[in-house]
Amino acid sequence: MPVVVAAVLVGLLAAPPLRGLVARFSVPEGEAWCDACPSCGREVRLLPPTGCCPGCRGRLGAGAWSVESVAVAVAVAVAFAADGPAVAALGWAAALGVALGFVDARVRRLPYRLTLPLLGGVVALLTVAALAEGRPGVLVRCLLVALAVGAVLELAVWARALGPGDSPLGLALGGLLGWYGWSVALGGLFAAVVLAGLWAVLRAAAALLRRRPVRGLDVPVGPFLLLGALTAVLAR
């Protein structure tokens, strides 16, 4: 219970800056980042659970309490999955993953301004974890898994099935899953594909029930890659 309470508090404390990131980067391709509130010009950094600008009360970013709910759930999941020094890398990926998931779901893009810090942080924290545990050789496996996952996603990018931001996200998640082994990495990819497929089927079914045409479903891949990775780590 103390671990769960601590995780809930961490999730709630992380939510305001994560909301700020979601509001800043949830803009369509080609538009400038939303660094300030369009209505009052107040800088977008920390936002309350209502998702409203503290200055003018205008709506910014995700809906009320949505980021908080996901951040708390992810923090609790990370607390249960935590074991050893790699928890810092897992926590870093989980925190930025919450912001990336919301941004991709809203505007179908994974900005380099978020994916590259995610990748750099995972590399640095896994390196520290490997040295702290006295097994630097595990970094070779992390690198191989990261390259394998990144290559698969890059092929999909070349085929225009994915956006360019999916490749650095795949590198980061591949490296993180590589810490736990090849089977966990494969499980994460499999879970991501299954979850994305289920989401597409549900959306198609909902469209048919409402008697609307089923065209391109435009499924955001980022949230499912992140959720698949977390599911694989929890299930290992």
Side-chain angles (χ1 to χ4, degrees), residues 81-223:
D83 60 344
V87 65
L90 183 60
W92 175 254
L96 283 184
V98 170
L100 281 165
F102 273 94
V103 171
D104 198 19
R106 288 172 61 83
V107 295
R108 302 299 191 267
R109 67 183 301 195
L110 295 168
Y112 290 128
R113 294 279 294 273
L114 291 178
T115 54
L116 293 182
L118 171 60
L119 175 59
V122 167
V123 170
L125 292 170
L126 285 182
T127 300
V128 171
L131 295 177
E133 286 200 338
R135 27 179 222 141
V138 73
L139 295 176
V140 176
R141 185 177 66 205
C142 292
L143 176 61
L144 292 175
V145 176
L147 292 176
V149 175
V152 170
L153 295 182
E154 187 62 25
L155 287 174
V157 172
W158 287 350
R160 297 188 178 181
L162 298 178
D166 290 292
S167 295
L169 177 61
L171 286 171
L173 295 180
L176 182 61
L177 293 176
W179 177 273
Y180 301 101
W182 283 98
S183 61
V184 176
L186 292 173
L189 285 177
F190 178 76
V193 172
V194 170
L195 291 170
L198 286 175
W199 178 255
V201 170
L202 290 175
R203 286 192 62 187
L208 290 173
L209 288 174
R210 289 179 294 177
R211 297 184 179 181
R212 294 183 179 180
V214 180
R215 300 189 179 93
L217 294 176
D218 192 22
V219 177
V221 176

Side-chain angles (χ1 to χ4, degrees), residues 8-98:
V8 170
L9 291 176
V10 168
L12 291 175
L13 290 173
L18 293 178
R19 269 195 174 276
L21 292 176
V22 173
R24 273 185 79 195
F25 295 110
S26 292
V27 296
E29 189 76 36
E31 293 187 13
W33 303 125
C34 181
D35 294 322
C37 174
S39 300
C40 67
R42 183 176 180 135
E43 189 176 27
V44 175
R45 293 295 177 190
L46 304 177
L47 292 176
T50 58
C52 296
C53 172
C56 66
R57 310 303 297 171
R59 175 56 60 87
L60 289 172
W65 289 99
S66 56
V67 176
E68 289 72 20
S69 301
V70 174
V72 166
V74 169
V76 171
V78 169
F80 279 107
D83 60 344
V87 65
L90 183 60
W92 175 254
L96 283 184
V98 170

